[in-house]
Amino acid sequence: MPKKIRELKQILQQAGFILLPKRGKGSHSYWVHPRWLKPVVISGKDGKDAKPYQEKDVIEALEELKQLEQEDKQ
């Protein structure tokens, strides 16, 4: 069962991503992290099911952050 858009936004927020206000058109929201250069763009209303590519984008961003944190510890 796919995650909801609101769940993806919560995951990003818990990982330290910040929502850029007034960015994007319509239901698009841009999430940035101070340590990661690329923004994660989530489109859709909070109650809708997330598309597979959206879940993939969030997972990839979180994995990249974990790798950066591990490199810093070494």
Side-chain angles (χ1 to χ4, degrees):
M1 189 164 162
K3 293 187 183 314
K4 298 288 184 186
I5 296 294
R6 88 172 60 81
E7 291 176 282
L8 293 182
K9 290 179 180 180
Q10 288 173 349
I11 291 169
L12 289 172
Q13 188 174 20
Q14 290 171 356
F17 281 81
I18 301 166
L19 175 64
L20 291 180
K22 305 212 180 200
R23 274 293 291 251
K25 190 172 182 179
S27 63
H28 288 71
S29 59
Y30 283 72
W31 294 82
V32 294
H33 194 277
R35 305 223 23 184
W36 202 53
L37 300 175
K38 261 178 42 174
V40 178
V41 180
I42 304 290
S43 62
K45 295 187 179 185
D46 287 347
K48 296 287 186 174
D49 289 342
K51 304 284 186 197
Y53 72 88
Q54 291 173 316
E55 289 187 49
K56 181 181 162 207
D57 288 347
V58 170
I59 291 168
E60 285 177 359
L62 296 176
E63 287 174 356
E64 289 280 335
L65 280 178
K66 283 181 187 178
Q67 286 179 356
L68 288 173
E69 288 174 2
Q70 287 176 355
E71 288 173 6
D72 286 347
K73 289 180 182 178
Q74 293 177 350

